[in-house]
Amino acid sequence: MSGSSLRSFEYLESLPGTVFNRLYQQPSTALAIFRRMLTHLAKTFVMAMLYIGHPLPVADLDSWVRPDSRRERDQAINLLERLHILRVTADPGKPRAYTITNPFLGSLRLALTGGGNHNSFGVPCNTPDKTPTSVAELDEYARRQWEGVLGYMVGSAGASLVDEGVRLSDGVKKLLRDGGLVKQRLSKVEITQEGFAFILQEVNAQVWTVLIYYLDSAEEMNMDSVDVLSFLFMLGSLELGQDYSKATLSPTQLQMLDDLSDFGIVYQHSATSSRFYPTRLATTLTSDSGALRSASAGFDNALRSPDGKGFIVIETNYRIYAYTTSQLQIAILQLFTLLKTRYPNMVAGKITRESVRHAVGMGITSEQIISFLTTHAHPQMRKNNPIMPATVVDQIRLWQIEGERMKATPGFLFKDFLTAADYEACSKYAEEIGVSVWKNENRRMFFVTRYEQVAAYLKNRPKKIAGS
């Protein structure tokens, strides 16, 4: 599951079942979750059960999966249950069986076959736009607005952005602060560790991160969070370059159009216009990561060089050369580099102890710095193995370690197993699904980053375990 999928999935997982009942009334939402959130095996289960018309016995479903793929089956079933798509029926005198929940069943059928007057996939305008907007213009608008957001985060917002017509509203700035991506220190805005991690993400993951913060603040803005989420899934189903009518939108969705315009997710001629255009940031919301990368060829990540290649060269003496004219790229480098010289197409500087410690003081980690430099390394650097000079990588880590000796990992501790067999079985299962980060066999305890699947495994074991 990609980073953007994981971020949106974690938000969905925190919602109560009653919210899912409302969400799944919209075919666009059911289709988006089916496309975006489910694994290949989970999709296979759903499609196989979509039209059978009766509950499927558990034994029959198990027979579809090879014995050596039990872990993948458990993960798929667990995922479907957590998204309230699948439930177990246990009628007296009948074997346990799986059934797809309603209204997900009806909405997915409707999304796949068409029909109805739900307007879930938007209503294209039936009159031509007097001033039509091309796909190239939409891409440029989205790029300019999103680069303005990133520029504000790294402290490069200023005259250059104003000249380009980018205006970040107070609501956008508040959202970035409330989300912990930036912090206000006196009159200066500084990026945080979370903000720098955000900068390193691909565009689709960045957009979903901001939208999750927007969803979290929906209640504060007197907006229906379910209506907000449904509209976001609808945007992901729209066609790039097509204009859509506002006539069928709710008051909450009309307010969202103004807010999302600030991020470049939708475009309007004006706030009073009767139509809107989704940009590439919107239409790739529910696409898979591969489709996003190919689609973003026309809308480059602001951190990439114009030709899509890396632009950074770094030497073993810590000198760094960046072949770029982008103010945003230069501003990001200044977060952890002492820049000394600027040429028409290049800046030069040096990574120093003070510059790295300054970045660490802002919350940026050494691994994030190394990741950024590696990701954006010049093609000439990529001929090396490893790409980054080992002396530079080690020194950047050492400069951070000077002031840090401990790393915290949030998670859950399982302990108090009655027998060694119970402990070993559960600990092994946690390792198999990739959530185990620490264990102590002598004390029969282990630590995991996520507990849901382990708890389900404990619940379904025939032997009872005292506690966890």
mmCIF file with all atom_site columns, all heavy atoms in Angstrom, residues 349-370:
data_model
loop_
_atom_site.group_PDB
_atom_site.id
_atom_site.type_symbol
_atom_site.label_atom_id
_atom_site.label_alt_id
_atom_site.label_comp_id
_atom_site.label_asym_id
_atom_site.label_entity_id
_atom_site.label_seq_id
_atom_site.pdbx_PDB_ins_code
_atom_site.Cartn_x
_atom_site.Cartn_y
_atom_site.Cartn_z
_atom_site.occupancy
_atom_site.B_iso_or_equiv
_atom_site.pdbx_formal_charge
_atom_site.auth_seq_id
_atom_site.auth_comp_id
_atom_site.auth_asym_id
_atom_site.auth_atom_id
_atom_site.pdbx_PDB_model_num
ATOM 1   N N   . GLY A 1 349 ? 27.779 25.284 -2.050 1.00 0.00 ? 349 GLY A N   1
ATOM 2   C CA  . GLY A 1 349 ? 27.893 25.483 -0.608 1.00 0.00 ? 349 GLY A CA  1
ATOM 3   C C   . GLY A 1 349 ? 28.561 24.293 0.048  1.00 0.00 ? 349 GLY A C   1
ATOM 4   O O   . GLY A 1 349 ? 29.259 23.514 -0.605 1.00 0.00 ? 349 GLY A O   1
ATOM 5   N N   . LYS A 1 350 ? 28.321 24.150 1.333  1.00 0.00 ? 350 LYS A N   1
ATOM 6   C CA  . LYS A 1 350 ? 28.974 23.093 2.088  1.00 0.00 ? 350 LYS A CA  1
ATOM 7   C C   . LYS A 1 350 ? 28.070 22.632 3.225  1.00 0.00 ? 350 LYS A C   1
ATOM 8   O O   . LYS A 1 350 ? 27.379 23.441 3.848  1.00 0.00 ? 350 LYS A O   1
ATOM 9   C CB  . LYS A 1 350 ? 30.305 23.604 2.658  1.00 0.00 ? 350 LYS A CB  1
ATOM 10  C CG  . LYS A 1 350 ? 31.189 22.523 3.262  1.00 0.00 ? 350 LYS A CG  1
ATOM 11  C CD  . LYS A 1 350 ? 32.546 23.090 3.648  1.00 0.00 ? 350 LYS A CD  1
ATOM 12  C CE  . LYS A 1 350 ? 33.472 21.989 4.163  1.00 0.00 ? 350 LYS A CE  1
ATOM 13  N NZ  . LYS A 1 350 ? 34.800 22.522 4.519  1.00 0.00 ? 350 LYS A NZ  1
ATOM 14  N N   . ILE A 1 351 ? 28.060 21.341 3.446  1.00 0.00 ? 351 ILE A N   1
ATOM 15  C CA  . ILE A 1 351 ? 27.341 20.786 4.598  1.00 0.00 ? 351 ILE A CA  1
ATOM 16  C C   . ILE A 1 351 ? 28.281 20.839 5.795  1.00 0.00 ? 351 ILE A C   1
ATOM 17  O O   . ILE A 1 351 ? 29.372 20.256 5.767  1.00 0.00 ? 351 ILE A O   1
ATOM 18  C CB  . ILE A 1 351 ? 26.895 19.337 4.321  1.00 0.00 ? 351 ILE A CB  1
ATOM 19  C CG1 . ILE A 1 351 ? 25.884 19.309 3.185  1.00 0.00 ? 351 ILE A CG1 1
ATOM 20  C CG2 . ILE A 1 351 ? 26.278 18.713 5.565  1.00 0.00 ? 351 ILE A CG2 1
ATOM 21  C CD1 . ILE A 1 351 ? 25.409 17.909 2.825  1.00 0.00 ? 351 ILE A CD1 1
ATOM 22  N N   . THR A 1 352 ? 27.910 21.565 6.817  1.00 0.00 ? 352 THR A N   1
ATOM 23  C CA  . THR A 1 352 ? 28.760 21.746 7.990  1.00 0.00 ? 352 THR A CA  1
ATOM 24  C C   . THR A 1 352 ? 28.072 21.213 9.239  1.00 0.00 ? 352 THR A C   1
ATOM 25  O O   . THR A 1 352 ? 26.875 20.902 9.232  1.00 0.00 ? 352 THR A O   1
ATOM 26  C CB  . THR A 1 352 ? 29.084 23.233 8.198  1.00 0.00 ? 352 THR A CB  1
ATOM 27  O OG1 . THR A 1 352 ? 27.864 23.923 8.549  1.00 0.00 ? 352 THR A OG1 1
ATOM 28  C CG2 . THR A 1 352 ? 29.662 23.849 6.935  1.00 0.00 ? 352 THR A CG2 1
ATOM 29  N N   . ARG A 1 353 ? 28.850 21.102 10.289 1.00 0.00 ? 353 ARG A N   1
ATOM 30  C CA  . ARG A 1 353 ? 28.282 20.665 11.566 1.00 0.00 ? 353 ARG A CA  1
ATOM 31  C C   . ARG A 1 353 ? 27.184 21.617 12.004 1.00 0.00 ? 353 ARG A C   1
ATOM 32  O O   . ARG A 1 353 ? 26.121 21.194 12.465 1.00 0.00 ? 353 ARG A O   1
ATOM 33  C CB  . ARG A 1 353 ? 29.383 20.598 12.624 1.00 0.00 ? 353 ARG A CB  1
ATOM 34  C CG  . ARG A 1 353 ? 28.901 20.196 14.011 1.00 0.00 ? 353 ARG A CG  1
ATOM 35  C CD  . ARG A 1 353 ? 30.075 20.152 14.983 1.00 0.00 ? 353 ARG A CD  1
ATOM 36  N NE  . ARG A 1 353 ? 29.639 19.747 16.310 1.00 0.00 ? 353 ARG A NE  1
ATOM 37  C CZ  . ARG A 1 353 ? 29.171 20.580 17.231 1.00 0.00 ? 353 ARG A CZ  1
ATOM 38  N NH1 . ARG A 1 353 ? 29.059 21.894 16.945 1.00 0.00 ? 353 ARG A NH1 1
ATOM 39  N NH2 . ARG A 1 353 ? 28.801 20.138 18.420 1.00 0.00 ? 353 ARG A NH2 1
ATOM 40  N N   . GLU A 1 354 ? 27.433 22.920 11.871 1.00 0.00 ? 354 GLU A N   1
ATOM 41  C CA  . GLU A 1 354 ? 26.458 23.907 12.322 1.00 0.00 ? 354 GLU A CA  1
ATOM 42  C C   . GLU A 1 354 ? 25.179 23.843 11.488 1.00 0.00 ? 354 GLU A C   1
ATOM 43  O O   . GLU A 1 354 ? 24.073 23.953 12.033 1.00 0.00 ? 354 GLU A O   1
ATOM 44  C CB  . GLU A 1 354 ? 27.068 25.313 12.248 1.00 0.00 ? 354 GLU A CB  1
ATOM 45  C CG  . GLU A 1 354 ? 28.151 25.599 13.267 1.00 0.00 ? 354 GLU A CG  1
ATOM 46  C CD  . GLU A 1 354 ? 29.450 24.867 12.946 1.00 0.00 ? 354 GLU A CD  1
ATOM 47  O OE1 . GLU A 1 354 ? 29.648 24.485 11.766 1.00 0.00 ? 354 GLU A OE1 1
ATOM 48  O OE2 . GLU A 1 354 ? 30.252 24.656 13.882 1.00 0.00 ? 354 GLU A OE2 1
ATOM 49  N N   . SER A 1 355 ? 25.317 23.667 10.162 1.00 0.00 ? 355 SER A N   1
ATOM 50  C CA  . SER A 1 355 ? 24.116 23.627 9.320  1.00 0.00 ? 355 SER A CA  1
ATOM 51  C C   . SER A 1 355 ? 23.274 22.397 9.600  1.00 0.00 ? 355 SER A C   1
ATOM 52  O O   . SER A 1 355 ? 22.036 22.463 9.625  1.00 0.00 ? 355 SER A O   1
ATOM 53  C CB  . SER A 1 355 ? 24.507 23.680 7.836  1.00 0.00 ? 355 SER A CB  1
ATOM 54  O OG  . SER A 1 355 ? 25.237 22.530 7.447  1.00 0.00 ? 355 SER A OG  1
ATOM 55  N N   . VAL A 1 356 ? 23.924 21.256 9.836  1.00 0.00 ? 356 VAL A N   1
ATOM 56  C CA  . VAL A 1 356 ? 23.174 20.037 10.158 1.00 0.00 ? 356 VAL A CA  1
ATOM 57  C C   . VAL A 1 356 ? 22.538 20.148 11.534 1.00 0.00 ? 356 VAL A C   1
ATOM 58  O O   . VAL A 1 356 ? 21.373 19.777 11.725 1.00 0.00 ? 356 VAL A O   1
ATOM 59  C CB  . VAL A 1 356 ? 24.093 18.799 10.073 1.00 0.00 ? 356 VAL A CB  1
ATOM 60  C CG1 . VAL A 1 356 ? 23.374 17.562 10.610 1.00 0.00 ? 356 VAL A CG1 1
ATOM 61  C CG2 . VAL A 1 356 ? 24.537 18.565 8.636  1.00 0.00 ? 356 VAL A CG2 1
ATOM 62  N N   . ARG A 1 357 ? 23.272 20.667 12.514 1.00 0.00 ? 357 ARG A N   1
ATOM 63  C CA  . ARG A 1 357 ? 22.711 20.816 13.853 1.00 0.00 ? 357 ARG A CA  1
ATOM 64  C C   . ARG A 1 357 ? 21.548 21.802 13.852 1.00 0.00 ? 357 ARG A C   1
ATOM 65  O O   . ARG A 1 357 ? 20.585 21.664 14.602 1.00 0.00 ? 357 ARG A O   1
ATOM 66  C CB  . ARG A 1 357 ? 23.798 21.285 14.831 1.00 0.00 ? 357 ARG A CB  1
ATOM 67  C CG  . ARG A 1 357 ? 24.877 20.248 15.116 1.00 0.00 ? 357 ARG A CG  1
ATOM 68  C CD  . ARG A 1 357 ? 24.308 18.965 15.695 1.00 0.00 ? 357 ARG A CD  1
ATOM 69  N NE  . ARG A 1 357 ? 23.584 19.208 16.931 1.00 0.00 ? 357 ARG A NE  1
ATOM 70  C CZ  . ARG A 1 357 ? 24.156 19.255 18.137 1.00 0.00 ? 357 ARG A CZ  1
ATOM 71  N NH1 . ARG A 1 357 ? 25.467 19.085 18.254 1.00 0.00 ? 357 ARG A NH1 1
ATOM 72  N NH2 . ARG A 1 357 ? 23.433 19.467 19.205 1.00 0.00 ? 357 ARG A NH2 1
ATOM 73  N N   . HIS A 1 358 ? 21.632 22.834 13.000 1.00 0.00 ? 358 HIS A N   1
ATOM 74  C CA  . HIS A 1 358 ? 20.524 23.780 12.869 1.00 0.00 ? 358 HIS A CA  1
ATOM 75  C C   . HIS A 1 358 ? 19.287 23.063 12.345 1.00 0.00 ? 358 HIS A C   1
ATOM 76  O O   . HIS A 1 358 ? 18.173 23.271 12.842 1.00 0.00 ? 358 HIS A O   1
ATOM 77  C CB  . HIS A 1 358 ? 20.914 24.914 11.933 1.00 0.00 ? 358 HIS A CB  1
ATOM 78  C CG  . HIS A 1 358 ? 19.785 25.850 11.611 1.00 0.00 ? 358 HIS A CG  1
ATOM 79  N ND1 . HIS A 1 358 ? 19.254 26.738 12.533 1.00 0.00 ? 358 HIS A ND1 1
ATOM 80  C CD2 . HIS A 1 358 ? 19.043 26.021 10.467 1.00 0.00 ? 358 HIS A CD2 1
ATOM 81  C CE1 . HIS A 1 358 ? 18.262 27.422 11.977 1.00 0.00 ? 358 HIS A CE1 1
ATOM 82  N NE2 . HIS A 1 358 ? 18.119 26.994 10.717 1.00 0.00 ? 358 HIS A NE2 1
ATOM 83  N N   . ALA A 1 359 ? 19.482 22.199 11.344 1.00 0.00 ? 359 ALA A N   1
ATOM 84  C CA  . ALA A 1 359 ? 18.360 21.439 10.800 1.00 0.00 ? 359 ALA A CA  1
ATOM 85  C C   . ALA A 1 359 ? 17.788 20.483 11.841 1.00 0.00 ? 359 ALA A C   1
ATOM 86  O O   . ALA A 1 359 ? 16.569 20.353 11.988 1.00 0.00 ? 359 ALA A O   1
ATOM 87  C CB  . ALA A 1 359 ? 18.807 20.660 9.563  1.00 0.00 ? 359 ALA A CB  1
ATOM 88  N N   . VAL A 1 360 ? 18.679 19.828 12.587 1.00 0.00 ? 360 VAL A N   1
ATOM 89  C CA  . VAL A 1 360 ? 18.234 18.908 13.643 1.00 0.00 ? 360 VAL A CA  1
ATOM 90  C C   . VAL A 1 360 ? 17.450 19.665 14.710 1.00 0.00 ? 360 VAL A C   1
ATOM 91  O O   . VAL A 1 360 ? 16.448 19.178 15.238 1.00 0.00 ? 360 VAL A O   1
ATOM 92  C CB  . VAL A 1 360 ? 19.447 18.177 14.260 1.00 0.00 ? 360 VAL A CB  1
ATOM 93  C CG1 . VAL A 1 360 ? 19.025 17.410 15.511 1.00 0.00 ? 360 VAL A CG1 1
ATOM 94  C CG2 . VAL A 1 360 ? 20.075 17.233 13.239 1.00 0.00 ? 360 VAL A CG2 1
ATOM 95  N N   . GLY A 1 361 ? 17.886 20.882 15.009 1.00 0.00 ? 361 GLY A N   1
ATOM 96  C CA  . GLY A 1 361 ? 17.177 21.700 15.984 1.00 0.00 ? 361 GLY A CA  1
ATOM 97  C C   . GLY A 1 361 ? 15.769 22.052 15.536 1.00 0.00 ? 361 GLY A C   1
ATOM 98  O O   . GLY A 1 361 ? 14.875 22.292 16.357 1.00 0.00 ? 361 GLY A O   1
ATOM 99  N N   . MET A 1 362 ? 15.540 22.082 14.222 1.00 0.00 ? 362 MET A N   1
ATOM 100 C CA  . MET A 1 362 ? 14.202 22.345 13.681 1.00 0.00 ? 362 MET A CA  1
ATOM 101 C C   . MET A 1 362 ? 13.362 21.074 13.633 1.00 0.00 ? 362 MET A C   1
ATOM 102 O O   . MET A 1 362 ? 12.177 21.118 13.297 1.00 0.00 ? 362 MET A O   1
ATOM 103 C CB  . MET A 1 362 ? 14.321 22.926 12.268 1.00 0.00 ? 362 MET A CB  1
ATOM 104 C CG  . MET A 1 362 ? 14.990 24.293 12.223 1.00 0.00 ? 362 MET A CG  1
ATOM 105 S SD  . MET A 1 362 ? 15.395 24.792 10.517 1.00 0.00 ? 362 MET A SD  1
ATOM 106 C CE  . MET A 1 362 ? 13.770 24.827 9.798  1.00 0.00 ? 362 MET A CE  1
ATOM 107 N N   . GLY A 1 363 ? 13.982 19.923 13.955 1.00 0.00 ? 363 GLY A N   1
ATOM 108 C CA  . GLY A 1 363 ? 13.244 18.660 13.941 1.00 0.00 ? 363 GLY A CA  1
ATOM 109 C C   . GLY A 1 363 ? 13.544 17.786 12.749 1.00 0.00 ? 363 GLY A C   1
ATOM 110 O O   . GLY A 1 363 ? 13.023 16.680 12.632 1.00 0.00 ? 363 GLY A O   1
ATOM 111 N N   . ILE A 1 364 ? 14.393 18.257 11.824 1.00 0.00 ? 364 ILE A N   1
ATOM 112 C CA  . ILE A 1 364 ? 14.753 17.460 10.655 1.00 0.00 ? 364 ILE A CA  1
ATOM 113 C C   . ILE A 1 364 ? 15.805 16.433 11.069 1.00 0.00 ? 364 ILE A C   1
ATOM 114 O O   . ILE A 1 364 ? 16.773 16.769 11.740 1.00 0.00 ? 364 ILE A O   1
ATOM 115 C CB  . ILE A 1 364 ? 15.292 18.364 9.538  1.00 0.00 ? 364 ILE A CB  1
ATOM 116 C CG1 . ILE A 1 364 ? 14.242 19.394 9.129  1.00 0.00 ? 364 ILE A CG1 1
ATOM 117 C CG2 . ILE A 1 364 ? 15.724 17.534 8.323  1.00 0.00 ? 364 ILE A CG2 1
ATOM 118 C CD1 . ILE A 1 364 ? 14.754 20.455 8.172  1.00 0.00 ? 364 ILE A CD1 1
ATOM 119 N N   . THR A 1 365 ? 15.623 15.183 10.667 1.00 0.00 ? 365 THR A N   1
ATOM 120 C CA  . THR A 1 365 ? 16.551 14.131 11.076 1.00 0.00 ? 365 THR A CA  1
ATOM 121 C C   . THR A 1 365 ? 17.647 13.937 10.034 1.00 0.00 ? 365 THR A C   1
ATOM 122 O O   . THR A 1 365 ? 17.515 14.329 8.877  1.00 0.00 ? 365 THR A O   1
ATOM 123 C CB  . THR A 1 365 ? 15.813 12.792 11.267 1.00 0.00 ? 365 THR A CB  1
ATOM 124 O OG1 . THR A 1 365 ? 15.346 12.320 9.990  1.00 0.00 ? 365 THR A OG1 1
ATOM 125 C CG2 . THR A 1 365 ? 14.623 12.959 12.207 1.00 0.00 ? 365 THR A CG2 1
ATOM 126 N N   . SER A 1 366 ? 18.727 13.291 10.467 1.00 0.00 ? 366 SER A N   1
ATOM 127 C CA  . SER A 1 366 ? 19.833 13.013 9.549  1.00 0.00 ? 366 SER A CA  1
ATOM 128 C C   . SER A 1 366 ? 19.383 12.086 8.425  1.00 0.00 ? 366 SER A C   1
ATOM 129 O O   . SER A 1 366 ? 19.819 12.235 7.278  1.00 0.00 ? 366 SER A O   1
ATOM 130 C CB  . SER A 1 366 ? 21.001 12.383 10.313 1.00 0.00 ? 366 SER A CB  1
ATOM 131 O OG  . SER A 1 366 ? 20.595 11.170 10.930 1.00 0.00 ? 366 SER A OG  1
ATOM 132 N N   . GLU A 1 367 ? 18.518 11.126 8.741  1.00 0.00 ? 367 GLU A N   1
ATOM 133 C CA  . GLU A 1 367 ? 18.041 10.200 7.713  1.00 0.00 ? 367 GLU A CA  1
ATOM 134 C C   . GLU A 1 367 ? 17.223 10.931 6.652  1.00 0.00 ? 367 GLU A C   1
ATOM 135 O O   . GLU A 1 367 ? 17.264 10.576 5.472  1.00 0.00 ? 367 GLU A O   1
ATOM 136 C CB  . GLU A 1 367 ? 17.207 9.082  8.351  1.00 0.00 ? 367 GLU A CB  1
ATOM 137 C CG  . GLU A 1 367 ? 17.987 8.156  9.270  1.00 0.00 ? 367 GLU A CG  1
ATOM 138 C CD  . GLU A 1 367 ? 19.177 7.510  8.575  1.00 0.00 ? 367 GLU A CD  1
ATOM 139 O OE1 . GLU A 1 367 ? 19.054 7.147  7.393  1.00 0.00 ? 367 GLU A OE1 1
ATOM 140 O OE2 . GLU A 1 367 ? 20.240 7.382  9.209  1.00 0.00 ? 367 GLU A OE2 1
ATOM 141 N N   . GLN A 1 368 ? 16.482 11.949 7.063  1.00 0.00 ? 368 GLN A N   1
ATOM 142 C CA  . GLN A 1 368 ? 15.720 12.730 6.091  1.00 0.00 ? 368 GLN A CA  1
ATOM 143 C C   . GLN A 1 368 ? 16.651 13.523 5.176  1.00 0.00 ? 368 GLN A C   1
ATOM 144 O O   . GLN A 1 368 ? 16.410 13.629 3.971  1.00 0.00 ? 368 GLN A O   1
ATOM 145 C CB  . GLN A 1 368 ? 14.755 13.666 6.814  1.00 0.00 ? 368 GLN A CB  1
ATOM 146 C CG  . GLN A 1 368 ? 13.582 12.953 7.474  1.00 0.00 ? 368 GLN A CG  1
ATOM 147 C CD  . GLN A 1 368 ? 12.704 13.897 8.269  1.00 0.00 ? 368 GLN A CD  1
ATOM 148 O OE1 . GLN A 1 368 ? 13.194 14.849 8.882  1.00 0.00 ? 368 GLN A OE1 1
ATOM 149 N NE2 . GLN A 1 368 ? 11.409 13.644 8.275  1.00 0.00 ? 368 GLN A NE2 1
ATOM 150 N N   . ILE A 1 369 ? 17.709 14.075 5.733  1.00 0.00 ? 369 ILE A N   1
ATOM 151 C CA  . ILE A 1 369 ? 18.684 14.812 4.925  1.00 0.00 ? 369 ILE A CA  1
ATOM 152 C C   . ILE A 1 369 ? 19.343 13.877 3.917  1.00 0.00 ? 369 ILE A C   1
ATOM 153 O O   . ILE A 1 369 ? 19.452 14.187 2.721  1.00 0.00 ? 369 ILE A O   1
ATOM 154 C CB  . ILE A 1 369 ? 19.746 15.472 5.826  1.00 0.00 ? 369 ILE A CB  1
ATOM 155 C CG1 . ILE A 1 369 ? 19.098 16.536 6.724  1.00 0.00 ? 369 ILE A CG1 1
ATOM 156 C CG2 . ILE A 1 369 ? 20.863 16.087 4.986  1.00 0.00 ? 369 ILE A CG2 1
ATOM 157 C CD1 . ILE A 1 369 ? 20.045 17.121 7.755  1.00 0.00 ? 369 ILE A CD1 1
ATOM 158 N N   . ILE A 1 370 ? 19.776 12.702 4.384  1.00 0.00 ? 370 ILE A N   1
ATOM 159 C CA  . ILE A 1 370 ? 20.425 11.726 3.508  1.00 0.00 ? 370 ILE A CA  1
ATOM 160 C C   . ILE A 1 370 ? 19.450 11.263 2.425  1.00 0.00 ? 370 ILE A C   1
ATOM 161 O O   . ILE A 1 370 ? 19.818 11.116 1.254  1.00 0.00 ? 370 ILE A O   1
ATOM 162 C CB  . ILE A 1 370 ? 20.946 10.532 4.338  1.00 0.00 ? 370 ILE A CB  1
ATOM 163 C CG1 . ILE A 1 370 ? 22.062 11.005 5.289  1.00 0.00 ? 370 ILE A CG1 1
ATOM 164 C CG2 . ILE A 1 370 ? 21.435 9.412  3.438  1.00 0.00 ? 370 ILE A CG2 1
ATOM 165 C CD1 . ILE A 1 370 ? 22.415 9.999  6.356  1.00 0.00 ? 370 ILE A CD1 1
#
